[in-house]
Amino acid sequence: MTLQEAMVRAVLFLTLFLCVSCRSDQPGKDSTQAATLTVDSIPVLVIAGTASDGDIVFETASGATRLSDGTVVIGDGLGQAVRFVDNEGRLVNSVGREGGGPGEFEHIEWLGQCGVDSVYVWDSRLARMTVVGATGDVQRTYRLPVDPSSAPAWLVSCSRQGTLVFIETPQHTSSAWDRYGARMFLADAGGVVTREFAEVPAYEGGPLGKVTSIAVTDDILYVGTKDSAFIDAYSIDGNDVAVLSVDVALRPPTMEHFERSVDAIVVGLGLVADREALKQIMLQRPMPEYLPPYASLLADPSGLLWVQLSLAGDAETRLRAIRSDGQVVGDVSLPRYMSVYEIGQDHILGAYDDDGGEPYLVMYRLRRTIPQS
Protein backbone atom coordinates (compact mmCIF):
# COMPACT_ATOMS: atom_id res chain seq x y z
CA MET A 1 0.00 0.00 0.00
CA THR A 2 1.11 3.61 -0.44
CA LEU A 3 2.11 5.74 2.53
CA GLN A 4 -1.03 7.82 2.07
CA GLU A 5 -3.22 4.70 2.18
CA ALA A 6 -1.33 3.50 5.22
CA MET A 7 -2.01 6.76 7.02
CA VAL A 8 -5.74 6.51 6.29
CA ARG A 9 -5.87 2.92 7.51
CA ALA A 10 -3.93 3.83 10.63
CA VAL A 11 -6.39 6.53 11.61
CA LEU A 12 -9.33 4.21 11.01
CA PHE A 13 -7.95 1.39 13.14
CA LEU A 14 -6.65 3.77 15.81
CA THR A 15 -9.90 5.53 16.56
CA LEU A 16 -10.75 3.80 19.80
CA PHE A 17 -7.32 4.47 21.18
CA LEU A 18 -8.17 8.13 20.72
CA CYS A 19 -11.86 7.94 21.21
CA VAL A 20 -13.57 6.20 24.00
CA SER A 21 -17.08 4.85 23.70
CA CYS A 22 -19.61 4.87 26.56
CA ARG A 23 -21.47 2.43 28.74
CA SER A 24 -24.64 3.25 30.72
CA ASP A 25 -26.86 1.71 33.41
CA GLN A 26 -30.27 2.97 34.59
CA PRO A 27 -30.82 6.64 33.85
CA GLY A 28 -31.89 8.00 37.26
CA LYS A 29 -31.72 11.61 36.06
CA ASP A 30 -32.95 13.14 39.33
CA SER A 31 -29.75 12.00 41.07
CA THR A 32 -27.63 14.16 38.73
CA GLN A 33 -29.21 17.49 39.53
CA ALA A 34 -27.65 18.40 42.89
CA ALA A 35 -24.72 16.02 43.27
CA THR A 36 -21.20 17.25 43.94
CA LEU A 37 -18.64 15.15 42.06
CA THR A 38 -15.18 14.39 43.45
CA VAL A 39 -12.58 11.75 42.66
CA ASP A 40 -9.89 10.30 44.94
CA SER A 41 -6.33 11.15 43.91
CA ILE A 42 -5.06 7.60 44.61
CA PRO A 43 -6.41 4.74 42.46
CA VAL A 44 -8.25 1.95 44.26
CA LEU A 45 -7.06 -0.62 41.70
CA VAL A 46 -3.88 -0.74 39.60
CA ILE A 47 -3.49 -3.53 37.03
CA ALA A 48 -0.04 -3.73 35.44
CA GLY A 49 0.33 -5.29 32.02
CA THR A 50 2.98 -7.59 33.43
CA ALA A 51 2.39 -9.34 36.77
CA SER A 52 5.05 -9.48 39.50
CA ASP A 53 5.93 -13.05 38.46
CA GLY A 54 6.57 -11.94 34.87
CA ASP A 55 3.36 -13.33 33.38
CA ILE A 56 1.51 -11.15 30.88
CA VAL A 57 -1.85 -9.86 32.13
CA PHE A 58 -2.59 -7.76 29.02
CA GLU A 59 -0.51 -6.15 26.27
CA THR A 60 -2.61 -3.07 25.57
CA ALA A 61 -6.11 -2.05 26.57
CA SER A 62 -8.51 -1.16 23.75
CA GLY A 63 -11.49 -1.14 26.13
CA ALA A 64 -12.42 -2.08 29.67
CA THR A 65 -15.50 -2.45 31.87
CA ARG A 66 -16.27 -3.49 35.45
CA LEU A 67 -18.89 -6.17 36.11
CA SER A 68 -21.34 -6.11 39.01
CA ASP A 69 -19.16 -8.45 41.12
CA GLY A 70 -16.11 -6.16 40.77
CA THR A 71 -14.39 -8.17 38.02
CA VAL A 72 -12.67 -5.94 35.47
CA VAL A 73 -12.81 -7.12 31.84
CA ILE A 74 -10.12 -5.83 29.45
CA GLY A 75 -10.08 -5.98 25.67
CA ASP A 76 -6.44 -6.74 24.84
CA GLY A 77 -5.84 -5.08 21.50
CA LEU A 78 -2.44 -6.68 20.94
CA GLY A 79 -2.97 -10.04 22.63
CA GLN A 80 -6.34 -10.39 20.82
CA ALA A 81 -8.05 -11.78 23.90
CA VAL A 82 -10.57 -10.76 26.55
CA ARG A 83 -8.91 -10.69 29.99
CA PHE A 84 -10.85 -11.13 33.24
CA VAL A 85 -9.12 -9.61 36.28
CA ASP A 86 -10.39 -9.86 39.87
CA ASN A 87 -10.75 -6.92 42.26
CA GLU A 88 -7.19 -7.48 43.52
CA GLY A 89 -5.68 -7.18 40.05
CA ARG A 90 -5.08 -10.90 39.39
CA LEU A 91 -5.75 -12.44 35.98
CA VAL A 92 -8.42 -15.11 36.52
CA ASN A 93 -9.54 -15.92 32.97
CA SER A 94 -8.56 -15.25 29.38
CA VAL A 95 -10.91 -15.75 26.43
CA GLY A 96 -9.87 -15.87 22.79
CA ARG A 97 -6.72 -15.80 20.72
CA GLU A 98 -5.60 -14.42 17.38
CA GLY A 99 -7.49 -15.90 14.43
CA GLY A 100 -10.76 -15.83 12.54
CA GLY A 101 -12.53 -18.82 14.05
CA PRO A 102 -15.20 -18.94 16.77
CA GLY A 103 -14.03 -17.12 19.89
CA GLU A 104 -10.99 -15.72 18.06
CA PHE A 105 -10.11 -12.11 17.24
CA GLU A 106 -8.02 -10.25 14.69
CA HIS A 107 -8.44 -6.67 15.94
CA ILE A 108 -10.31 -5.94 19.18
CA GLU A 109 -11.24 -2.31 18.73
CA TRP A 110 -13.99 -1.86 21.32
CA LEU A 111 -15.24 -3.64 24.42
CA GLY A 112 -18.15 -2.70 26.63
CA GLN A 113 -21.31 -3.88 28.31
CA CYS A 114 -24.51 -4.03 26.24
CA GLY A 115 -26.75 -5.29 29.01
CA VAL A 116 -25.73 -5.74 32.63
CA ASP A 117 -22.71 -8.10 32.85
CA SER A 118 -23.03 -8.91 29.14
CA VAL A 119 -19.68 -8.07 27.50
CA TYR A 120 -19.65 -7.15 23.81
CA VAL A 121 -16.40 -7.24 21.83
CA TRP A 122 -16.16 -5.54 18.43
CA ASP A 123 -13.55 -6.88 15.98
CA SER A 124 -13.18 -4.33 13.19
CA ARG A 125 -11.15 -6.55 10.86
CA LEU A 126 -13.55 -9.48 11.08
CA ALA A 127 -16.52 -7.05 11.10
CA ARG A 128 -17.88 -9.21 13.90
CA MET A 129 -19.39 -8.72 17.34
CA THR A 130 -18.71 -11.40 19.97
CA VAL A 131 -20.88 -11.61 23.08
CA VAL A 132 -19.12 -12.95 26.18
CA GLY A 133 -20.84 -13.79 29.45
CA ALA A 134 -19.71 -12.79 32.93
CA THR A 135 -17.94 -16.16 33.39
CA GLY A 136 -16.11 -15.92 30.07
CA ASP A 137 -18.38 -18.13 28.00
CA VAL A 138 -18.72 -17.08 24.35
CA GLN A 139 -22.47 -16.84 23.84
CA ARG A 140 -22.80 -15.76 20.21
CA THR A 141 -21.29 -13.79 17.35
CA TYR A 142 -22.83 -11.70 14.58
CA ARG A 143 -21.88 -9.18 11.91
CA LEU A 144 -22.48 -5.53 12.50
CA PRO A 145 -24.48 -4.47 10.63
CA VAL A 146 -26.30 -7.72 9.93
CA ASP A 147 -26.72 -6.79 6.24
CA PRO A 148 -23.48 -8.07 4.60
CA SER A 149 -23.78 -5.52 1.79
CA SER A 150 -23.32 -2.63 4.23
CA ALA A 151 -19.98 -1.16 5.22
CA PRO A 152 -18.65 -2.60 8.49
CA ALA A 153 -18.98 -0.62 11.68
CA TRP A 154 -16.13 1.67 12.72
CA LEU A 155 -17.17 3.37 15.98
CA VAL A 156 -19.36 1.41 18.39
CA SER A 157 -21.09 2.20 21.69
CA CYS A 158 -23.89 0.59 23.70
CA SER A 159 -26.06 1.30 26.72
CA ARG A 160 -26.71 -1.19 29.50
CA GLN A 161 -30.27 -1.43 28.23
CA GLY A 162 -28.98 -2.82 24.92
CA THR A 163 -29.26 0.26 22.71
CA LEU A 164 -26.41 -0.05 20.24
CA VAL A 165 -25.10 2.83 18.12
CA PHE A 166 -22.43 2.61 15.46
CA ILE A 167 -20.89 4.64 12.67
CA GLU A 168 -19.95 2.78 9.52
CA THR A 169 -16.50 2.84 7.93
CA PRO A 170 -15.98 6.45 6.77
CA GLN A 171 -15.90 7.58 3.17
CA HIS A 172 -14.53 10.73 1.56
CA THR A 173 -16.76 13.80 1.85
CA SER A 174 -14.51 16.27 0.00
CA SER A 175 -11.53 16.45 -2.31
CA ALA A 176 -9.24 16.37 0.73
CA TRP A 177 -8.01 12.81 1.22
CA ASP A 178 -8.09 13.09 5.01
CA ARG A 179 -11.66 14.39 5.46
CA TYR A 180 -14.26 11.66 5.91
CA GLY A 181 -17.96 11.25 6.64
CA ALA A 182 -20.11 8.22 7.46
CA ARG A 183 -23.65 7.07 8.14
CA MET A 184 -24.73 6.49 11.74
CA PHE A 185 -27.14 3.78 12.91
CA LEU A 186 -29.11 2.72 15.96
CA ALA A 187 -29.57 -1.01 16.50
CA ASP A 188 -30.77 -3.46 19.10
CA ALA A 189 -28.39 -5.67 21.08
CA GLY A 190 -28.51 -8.26 18.30
CA GLY A 191 -27.23 -5.78 15.73
CA VAL A 192 -30.56 -5.33 13.92
CA VAL A 193 -30.72 -1.74 12.69
CA THR A 194 -33.70 0.24 13.98
CA ARG A 195 -32.85 3.67 12.59
CA GLU A 196 -30.44 5.22 10.09
CA PHE A 197 -29.20 8.78 10.50
CA ALA A 198 -27.92 11.11 7.82
CA GLU A 199 -24.19 11.16 7.23
CA VAL A 200 -22.14 12.77 9.98
CA PRO A 201 -18.53 13.98 9.89
CA ALA A 202 -16.28 11.10 10.96
CA TYR A 203 -12.80 12.54 11.13
CA GLU A 204 -10.27 14.86 9.64
CA GLY A 205 -7.18 12.68 9.43
CA GLY A 206 -3.58 13.31 10.28
CA PRO A 207 -1.99 14.17 13.62
CA LEU A 208 -4.41 15.88 16.02
CA GLY A 209 -7.23 15.45 13.52
CA LYS A 210 -10.81 15.84 14.74
CA VAL A 211 -12.24 12.35 15.33
CA THR A 212 -15.95 11.89 16.05
CA SER A 213 -17.03 10.36 19.36
CA ILE A 214 -20.39 8.84 20.33
CA ALA A 215 -22.12 8.00 23.60
CA VAL A 216 -25.57 6.59 24.32
CA THR A 217 -27.89 6.21 27.30
CA ASP A 218 -31.26 4.47 27.27
CA ASP A 219 -32.95 7.54 25.79
CA ILE A 220 -30.35 9.94 24.33
CA LEU A 221 -27.65 9.59 21.69
CA TYR A 222 -24.74 12.06 21.88
CA VAL A 223 -22.53 12.83 18.88
CA GLY A 224 -19.43 15.00 19.12
CA THR A 225 -17.58 15.82 15.90
CA LYS A 226 -15.13 18.25 17.60
CA ASP A 227 -15.53 20.79 14.80
CA SER A 228 -16.53 23.13 17.61
CA ALA A 229 -17.07 22.93 21.35
CA PHE A 230 -20.61 21.62 20.88
CA ILE A 231 -22.29 18.21 21.07
CA ASP A 232 -25.43 17.12 19.22
CA ALA A 233 -28.00 15.25 21.31
CA TYR A 234 -30.75 13.12 19.73
CA SER A 235 -33.60 11.31 21.38
CA ILE A 236 -33.59 7.59 20.67
CA ASP A 237 -36.80 7.98 18.66
CA GLY A 238 -34.81 10.09 16.21
CA ASN A 239 -35.90 13.64 17.08
CA ASP A 240 -33.33 16.34 17.76
CA VAL A 241 -33.11 17.11 21.46
CA ALA A 242 -30.50 19.83 21.84
CA VAL A 243 -27.10 21.19 20.97
CA LEU A 244 -24.98 21.18 24.13
CA SER A 245 -22.11 23.59 24.69
CA VAL A 246 -18.93 22.25 26.29
CA ASP A 247 -17.77 25.83 26.95
CA VAL A 248 -14.00 25.36 26.77
CA ALA A 249 -11.34 27.71 25.45
CA LEU A 250 -9.44 26.53 22.38
CA ARG A 251 -5.77 25.75 23.02
CA PRO A 252 -2.80 25.77 20.66
CA PRO A 253 -1.03 22.39 20.46
CA THR A 254 2.41 21.74 21.86
CA MET A 255 5.06 19.59 20.23
CA GLU A 256 4.29 16.97 22.89
CA HIS A 257 0.66 16.82 21.73
CA PHE A 258 1.78 16.53 18.12
CA GLU A 259 4.39 13.83 18.70
CA ARG A 260 2.06 11.76 20.89
CA SER A 261 -0.57 11.88 18.15
CA VAL A 262 1.95 10.82 15.48
CA ASP A 263 3.27 8.00 17.66
CA ALA A 264 -0.25 6.72 18.30
CA ILE A 265 -1.10 6.66 14.59
CA VAL A 266 2.13 4.83 13.71
CA VAL A 267 1.63 2.28 16.50
CA GLY A 268 -1.95 1.72 15.34
CA LEU A 269 -0.66 0.90 11.87
CA GLY A 270 0.90 -2.35 13.09
CA LEU A 271 3.64 -4.27 11.30
CA VAL A 272 4.56 -2.20 8.26
CA ALA A 273 8.08 -2.13 6.84
CA ASP A 274 8.15 1.64 6.31
CA ARG A 275 6.76 2.70 9.71
CA GLU A 276 9.71 4.97 10.45
CA ALA A 277 9.42 6.61 7.03
CA LEU A 278 5.72 7.15 7.62
CA LYS A 279 6.43 8.68 11.02
CA GLN A 280 8.95 11.11 9.58
CA ILE A 281 6.54 12.17 6.83
CA MET A 282 3.77 12.75 9.37
CA LEU A 283 6.09 14.77 11.60
CA GLN A 284 6.65 17.12 8.67
CA ARG A 285 2.96 17.94 8.41
CA PRO A 286 2.00 21.31 9.90
CA MET A 287 0.42 21.31 13.32
CA PRO A 288 -3.17 22.57 13.39
CA GLU A 289 -3.71 26.00 14.87
CA TYR A 290 -5.77 24.62 17.73
CA LEU A 291 -6.26 21.32 19.52
CA PRO A 292 -9.67 19.65 19.24
CA PRO A 293 -11.81 21.13 22.05
CA TYR A 294 -12.28 17.70 23.64
CA ALA A 295 -11.13 14.11 23.17
CA SER A 296 -14.13 11.84 23.76
CA LEU A 297 -17.62 11.34 25.16
CA LEU A 298 -18.86 8.85 27.74
CA ALA A 299 -22.14 8.29 29.57
CA ASP A 300 -22.56 7.13 33.16
CA PRO A 301 -25.29 5.07 34.92
CA SER A 302 -27.16 8.17 36.14
CA GLY A 303 -27.55 9.53 32.61
CA LEU A 304 -24.81 12.16 32.83
CA LEU A 305 -22.73 12.90 29.76
CA TRP A 306 -19.00 13.10 30.47
CA VAL A 307 -16.60 14.95 28.19
CA GLN A 308 -12.88 14.13 28.32
CA LEU A 309 -11.27 17.55 27.88
CA SER A 310 -7.64 16.35 28.03
CA LEU A 311 -5.69 14.96 25.10
CA ALA A 312 -2.55 12.81 24.89
CA GLY A 313 0.31 15.14 25.75
CA ASP A 314 -1.48 16.76 28.71
CA ALA A 315 -0.16 16.17 32.22
CA GLU A 316 -3.55 15.25 33.71
CA THR A 317 -6.97 13.97 32.74
CA ARG A 318 -9.81 16.49 32.99
CA LEU A 319 -13.43 15.41 32.74
CA ARG A 320 -16.61 17.49 32.68
CA ALA A 321 -20.05 16.12 33.57
CA ILE A 322 -23.05 17.64 31.76
CA ARG A 323 -26.77 16.99 32.17
CA SER A 324 -28.93 16.21 29.17
CA ASP A 325 -30.32 19.78 29.31
CA GLY A 326 -26.78 21.16 28.92
CA GLN A 327 -26.24 22.23 32.55
CA VAL A 328 -22.69 21.56 33.77
CA VAL A 329 -22.72 19.44 36.93
CA GLY A 330 -18.99 19.64 37.63
CA ASP A 331 -15.41 18.94 36.62
CA VAL A 332 -13.03 16.33 38.02
CA SER A 333 -9.32 15.74 37.41
CA LEU A 334 -7.09 12.67 37.55
CA PRO A 335 -3.40 13.13 38.37
CA ARG A 336 -2.07 11.87 35.03
CA TYR A 337 -3.25 11.58 31.44
CA MET A 338 -5.07 8.37 30.53
CA SER A 339 -7.66 7.10 28.09
CA VAL A 340 -10.93 6.82 30.02
CA TYR A 341 -12.97 3.74 29.08
CA GLU A 342 -15.80 3.73 31.61
CA ILE A 343 -17.43 5.99 34.19
CA GLY A 344 -19.64 4.08 36.61
CA GLN A 345 -21.75 5.17 39.52
CA ASP A 346 -18.72 5.10 41.82
CA HIS A 347 -15.64 4.58 39.63
CA ILE A 348 -13.61 5.84 36.68
CA LEU A 349 -11.73 3.22 34.66
CA GLY A 350 -8.90 4.08 32.27
CA ALA A 351 -5.51 3.07 30.88
CA TYR A 352 -2.09 4.58 30.24
CA ASP A 353 1.48 3.57 29.41
CA ASP A 354 4.30 4.60 31.76
CA ASP A 355 7.55 6.18 30.56
CA GLY A 356 9.00 2.72 29.91
CA GLY A 357 6.05 1.66 27.75
CA GLU A 358 4.48 -0.63 30.39
CA PRO A 359 0.66 -0.59 30.09
CA TYR A 360 -1.51 -0.02 33.15
CA LEU A 361 -5.24 -0.12 33.75
CA VAL A 362 -6.35 1.89 36.79
CA MET A 363 -9.60 2.52 38.62
CA TYR A 364 -10.31 5.66 40.67
CA ARG A 365 -13.09 6.08 43.20
CA LEU A 366 -15.76 8.56 42.07
CA ARG A 367 -17.84 10.12 44.82
CA ARG A 368 -21.23 11.76 44.35
CA THR A 369 -22.32 13.83 47.34
CA ILE A 370 -25.91 15.02 47.36
CA PRO A 371 -26.33 17.95 49.80
CA GLN A 372 -28.95 17.45 52.46
CA SER A 373 -31.90 19.86 52.31
Side-chain angles (χ1 to χ4, degrees):
M1 75 180 74
T2 66
L3 288 179
Q4 180 169 298
E5 290 169 337
M7 292 169 70
V8 172
R9 177 176 290 186
V11 176
L12 290 174
F13 284 131
L14 182 68
T15 300
L16 289 188
F17 287 93
L18 303 177
C19 299
V20 185
S21 302
C22 76
R23 270 69 65 181
S24 172
D25 288 320
Q26 298 298 324
K29 295 182 182 58
D30 290 344
S31 67
T32 72
Q33 296 182 3
T36 299
L37 304 170
T38 58
V39 62
D40 293 353
S41 60
I42 304 298
V44 294
L45 179 64
V46 178
I47 304 171
T50 304
S52 57
D53 60 5
D55 289 344
I56 299 297
V57 179
F58 70 97
E59 296 182 59
T60 190
S62 55
T65 187
R66 189 179 72 164
L67 304 182
S68 58
D69 66 355
T71 299
V72 173
V73 185
I74 305 170
D76 190 340
L78 285 180
Q80 304 308 332
V82 179
R83 316 293 190 185
F84 288 73
V85 181
D86 67 16
N87 55 18
E88 295 185 1
R90 296 172 300 200
L91 180 66
V92 295
N93 195 6
S94 185
V95 178
R97 61 182 180 181
E98 187 169 4
E104 296 178 336
F105 306 98
E106 288 190 2
H107 188 85
I108 295 177
E109 192 157 7
W110 174 85
L111 178 147
Q113 291 186 54
C114 198
V116 177
D117 289 345
S118 187
V119 180
Y120 279 51
V121 187
W122 170 242
D123 188 316
S124 60
R125 290 180 185 166
L126 293 177
R128 190 171 71 185
M129 186 74 79
T130 298
V131 183
V132 181
T135 60
D137 54 311
V138 176
Q139 298 177 344
R140 61 190 170 117
T141 61
Y142 62 83
R143 283 182 54 85
L144 185 63
V146 173
D147 181 0
S149 65
S150 301
W154 174 58
L155 291 180
V156 179
S157 184
C158 195
S159 74
R160 298 288 173 87
Q161 290 75 26
T163 299
L164 190 67
V165 59
F166 65 91
I167 295 178
E168 68 180 355
T169 301
Q171 306 295 322
H172 283 91
T173 58
S174 76
S175 58
W177 73 268
D178 55 357
R179 187 169 300 164
Y180 285 72
R183 292 181 300 170
M184 183 170 63
F185 300 87
L186 283 173
D188 62 21
V192 178
V193 172
T194 57
R195 186 173 191 276
E196 176 183 339
F197 291 79
E199 186 177 89
V200 298
Y203 75 88
E204 294 181 15
L208 297 176
K210 298 180 177 72
V211 184
T212 293
S213 182
I214 51 178
V216 62
T217 66
D218 67 322
D219 57 355
I220 299 179
L221 164 62
Y222 296 100
V223 183
T225 63
K226 309 183 187 69
D227 285 331
S228 60
F230 293 91
I231 296 164
D232 295 324
Y234 302 88
S235 62
I236 293 302
D237 62 13
N239 298 317
D240 290 353
V241 174
V243 177
L244 309 184
S245 173
V246 183
D247 192 22
V248 294
L250 294 178
R251 299 182 290 153
T254 66
M255 184 54 67
E256 178 72 10
H257 290 119
F258 192 70
E259 290 179 348
R260 289 286 298 273
S261 180
V262 169
D263 287 341
I265 292 175
V266 173
V267 169
L269 186 58
L271 298 176
V272 174
D274 53 7
R275 286 177 62 183
E276 185 58 32
L278 173 59
K279 178 177 179 180
Q280 293 307 313
I281 289 176
M282 296 182 72
L283 286 172
Q284 297 305 311
R285 297 191 65 176
M287 283 194 295
E289 185 178 2
Y290 296 108
L291 291 169
Y294 53 89
S296 61
L297 307 179
L298 303 96
D300 77 6
S302 71
L304 282 178
L305 172 68
W306 290 78
V307 184
Q308 181 166 345
L309 302 176
S310 300
L311 291 94
D314 287 327
E316 64 177 7
T317 300
R318 295 179 297 121
L319 297 160
R320 175 165 296 167
I322 304 175
R323 286 189 351 196
S324 59
D325 62 3
Q327 179 176 329
V328 175
V329 176
D331 292 357
V332 300
S333 296
L334 304 175
R336 67 176 304 150
Y337 175 80
M338 67 181 191
S339 296
V340 179
Y341 289 124
E342 180 174 82
I343 298 179
Q345 187 65 29
D346 62 357
H347 70 276
I348 297 176
L349 195 62
Y352 69 90
D353 289 350
D354 68 11
D355 294 338
E358 176 73 8
Y360 285 87
L361 193 94
V362 292
M363 184 170 68
Y364 287 87
R365 181 68 62 197
L366 174 64
R367 302 182 186 275
R368 303 168 189 254
T369 304
I370 300 178
Q372 299 297 316
S373 57

